[in-house]
Structure formats: C-alpha cells, structure tokens
Amino acid sequence: MKIKHQKLKSAGAFLTILLLLPYVVTVFVNGIDVLGMSQEPCVQAETEDQDGEKTVRTVPWTEYMMGILGKTMPASYEKEALKAQAVVLRTMLYQQAAQDVVFKEAYLTPEELKKKWGAENFENYYKKLREVLDETETQVLFYQDSYAWVPYHQSSNGKTRSGKEVIGGDTYPYLATRECLEDVKAEDEMHVYQFSYDEIKKKCRSFLEAAEGEAEAKKALKFEDFEIQEKDSAGYVSKFRIGNTVCSGDEFRDALSLASSAFSIQEESGGLKITTMGKGHGLGMSQWTANELAKNGQNYKEILEFFFEGTTITNSEEILEKPE
C-alpha cells in the first residue's frame, strides 16, 4: 500500500507539472508576476548577430527603451536633454506599436551598454536613464490628433532645416528652421572626405544610370561635372549636378555616406574634396543644441517646444499590451 501511495503521489506531481508547464514557460518569457502583480509589457524586437543573422526576441519594454536611448544619445548629456530624446523616441515607437509590427530600431542590451559606458559608469548611467524614462512616463508628442513625426540628428550646420523645403507641402509645419549656433562647436562637426572621380561614379551609379542611361553613366568625370546648384534656407544642398544628372544633396550624401548634406566641394589630387558641416539630416531636434539648452536651464518641455513648435506633449494611453 505504501508503494502504491507513492506511485499515486508521483503521478499526481507529474500531472501538476504538465498542467503548470505552459504557465511556467509564459512566466519565463514574459516576466509575469506569479503573485498576480502587474508587470511591464514586452515587445518583439529584431536583433542581428555578427554574421548578419536576424532573429526576433521578446524584450521588456523598459529594457528596449533604455537600449535605444543609450544608443542614440550620450548618457553624459544633461538629464533634460535625455528626457526630450526619450519623448521623441517614445513617440516614434508608440506610432509603430499602433501598427502591430516587430520593432527594428537597433538597441543595446544591458551588457552592450556596460561595454559602451565602461563598468565604472554603468550603474550611474543606467540609473540616470531609468529615471529619465520614469519621469517622462508615457509622454509622447502629438500634432493635432495624431502622433507627430519627430526626427532628430546629432548636430546641424548651425540651423535646422525646414520640413516644407525638404519634404514639400505643409504636412509638418512644426519642422521649421531653428538657429542652433552652438552646433558649430559640436564634436565631429566638420568632416573632410576625398574621393576619386571613379569612386563617385561607382557609388552614384544607380541614379546616374536611371537618369542618363548606362552608356552616359560610364563616361569619365572631371571637376567641371560637379556643381552645387541650390541650397535650402539652412545651407544644406538641395540640388547637386553630376554631369547631366541633377540629384538632391541628400541622395548624394547617402550614396557617399557623408555626415551631412551641408557640404562644399573642391578639386584636389585629381578627385573631389568634400567638406561637410553638421552630423545627420538636419531635420527636427539637434541633440547638441538640446544639450546646450538644458545646460542653460531649459527643461525638456521647453526644448521640445523649441524644435517642434505647434506640437503638444500628451500622456498617451498604454498601447503596449501587458503579458497575459
């Protein structure tokens, strides 16, 4: 009887494990509080390993936000500048979440953040960014009754660009030119590149062939084939001629992986010397100026109002589902 009783107990325990297994797995994956306390939601985020293999991971929302914030802005920046960046990032991500997509924004794991910041800074910086997220909670930027488009860049060439000039139309009236005079002092503000004419032709082949045909695109280039035809009001190149082809400054920047489309050209050593000012596309919030404004006592709401005048900070409803 004793042996039989032990067998029954073992069978019951085995059945209990089978019944609880799905719940245990869910707890492990989604972080559900076994005591019934609510936990933060998780998101599906795409990651890429060193071999370029992409996988989708389930990541806690705060970890994902921390990973993007730590990747896109120096943790040494002023707290109010980091708050402005957090609201900008949250606006972008909430807009994506409303479409029920896998997030593809690159982020850093806690281990990668530790490597980036150094072990001696990790604890303080991680705490600082966590406070930034907690103090901005679910705040996002709205324009009228929908999420605003809130681009950002590291530094401008001294002015941010007009959305109307760059994109056309009046869809983003809050993306206006803003004086950012402190940006000229930014780290990596000026970059100098040198390319042979053959290198430029190769890198720009796609739109040269599209405009001129394969035969014309193969012709040798010389300095006279390059011309800055037009700049926008912020000083970024809007029209650039290569031979008989006219492209935008942004197309040329992307093709050559330039830091900015605010550039000048010179002939040097049988090729083209290109000098750029600023880092990034120049639209929306300049992170360098945001940090300078924070140093001067402006809070994150004032910073966001400066760069995105006409938008409103809204406490968005929680649209990320919590694990069930």
Side-chain angles (χ1 to χ4, degrees):
M1 289 293 294
K2 186 175 181 181
I3 295 174
K4 185 177 180 181
H5 180 66
Q6 287 179 339
K7 286 183 178 180
L8 286 173
K9 286 178 65 179
S10 298
F14 181 71
L15 286 173
T16 300
I17 291 172
L18 284 179
L19 289 171
L20 290 176
L21 184 59
Y23 180 74
V24 172
V25 171
T26 303
V27 169
F28 180 77
V29 173
N30 291 324
I32 294 178
D33 191 330
V34 295
L35 297 177
M37 297 172 65
S38 62
Q39 292 288 308
E40 67 173 312
C42 294
V43 297
Q44 298 298 304
E46 186 176 271
T47 61
E48 186 174 326
D49 61 23
Q50 294 179 346
D51 299 322
E53 289 291 325
K54 295 180 179 180
T55 56
V56 176
R57 291 182 57 220
T58 300
V59 185
W61 168 247
T62 299
E63 180 182 325
Y64 188 62
M65 274 290 291
M66 293 272 281
I68 299 178
L69 183 56
K71 180 180 174 64
T72 58
M73 181 177 269
S76 59
Y77 271 22
E78 297 291 314
K79 199 171 179 181
E80 293 303 311
L82 286 161
K83 287 182 184 180
Q85 179 74 1
V87 173
V88 163
L89 292 174
R90 191 181 294 108
T91 301
M92 176 185 69
L93 294 171
Y94 268 37
Q95 191 172 27
Q96 291 181 35
Q99 301 168 7
D100 191 27
V101 298
V102 173
F103 289 112
K104 296 185 179 181
E105 292 295 322
Y107 75 103
L108 299 178
T109 64
E111 293 76 17
E112 290 169 330
L113 288 173
K114 188 173 185 178
K115 185 177 180 180
K116 178 182 178 179
W117 296 333
E120 67 280 6
N121 295 319
F122 177 74
E123 186 175 342
N124 287 336
Y125 281 168
Y126 204 81
K127 179 183 177 183
K128 180 180 180 181
L129 264 59
R130 183 60 192 254
E131 289 173 354
V132 163
L133 295 182
D134 288 345
E135 290 168 20
T136 57
E137 298 181 311
T138 60
Q139 292 178 5
V140 294
L141 283 173
F142 263 56
Y143 177 64
Q144 296 179 346
D145 58 352
S146 60
Y147 291 104
W149 181 51
V150 281
Y152 63 92
H153 54 283
Q154 286 181 251
S155 65
S156 71
N157 73 331
K159 288 183 180 180
T160 64
R161 304 171 75 183
S162 161
K164 185 174 183 178
E165 290 181 328
V166 177
I167 303 165
D170 297 314
T171 307
Y172 309 107
Y174 50 86
L175 294 180
T177 299
R178 292 286 182 266
E179 294 278 353
C180 296
L181 300 180
E182 289 297 316
D183 279 0
V184 299
K185 302 175 186 176
E187 296 171 5
D188 296 328
E189 174 69 2
M190 178 187 290
H191 290 78
V192 179
Y193 306 85
Q194 190 166 342
F195 298 96
S196 70
Y197 296 130
D198 283 342
E199 282 182 291
I200 295 174
K201 185 171 60 178
K202 182 178 180 180
K203 291 177 180 294
C204 299
R205 178 177 296 158
S206 60
F207 57 81
L208 288 177
E209 287 185 359
E212 302 182 9
E214 188 175 346
E216 285 292 317
K218 288 182 178 179
K219 288 184 177 180
L221 295 172
K222 51 187 182 297
F223 185 69
E224 291 74 19
D225 291 314
F226 298 90
E227 179 189 8
I228 295 174
Q229 293 189 329
E230 190 176 297
K231 292 185 177 182
D232 63 24
S233 60
Y236 289 75
V237 176
S238 52
K239 287 186 179 180
F240 186 65
R241 180 180 64 83
I242 308 175
N244 296 319
T245 300
V246 176
C247 63
S248 70
D250 291 330
E251 285 180 297
F252 188 64
R253 177 201 70 195
D254 292 343
L256 271 64
S257 300
L258 304 177
S260 165
S261 59
F263 61 82
S264 60
I265 59 172
Q266 293 176 276
E267 184 176 22
E268 187 168 299
S269 302
L272 205 63
K273 178 182 176 181
I274 305 171
T275 303
T276 65
M277 295 297 293
K279 195 166 185 181
H281 47 62
L283 279 166
M285 185 177 76
S286 160
Q287 294 179 323
W288 185 271
T289 289
N291 195 47
E292 292 302 311
L293 292 173
K295 287 179 182 178
N296 291 330
Q298 295 198 36
N299 63 42
Y300 74 100
K301 293 182 179 180
E302 292 170 324
I303 293 170
L304 293 171
E305 174 65 18
F306 175 73
F307 287 111
F308 306 108
E309 185 178 3
T311 63
T312 56
I313 295 178
T314 303
N315 282 302
S316 179
E317 293 181 4
E318 185 62 71
I319 63 171
L320 300 170
E321 293 184 2
K322 295 182 184 293
E324 295 179 357

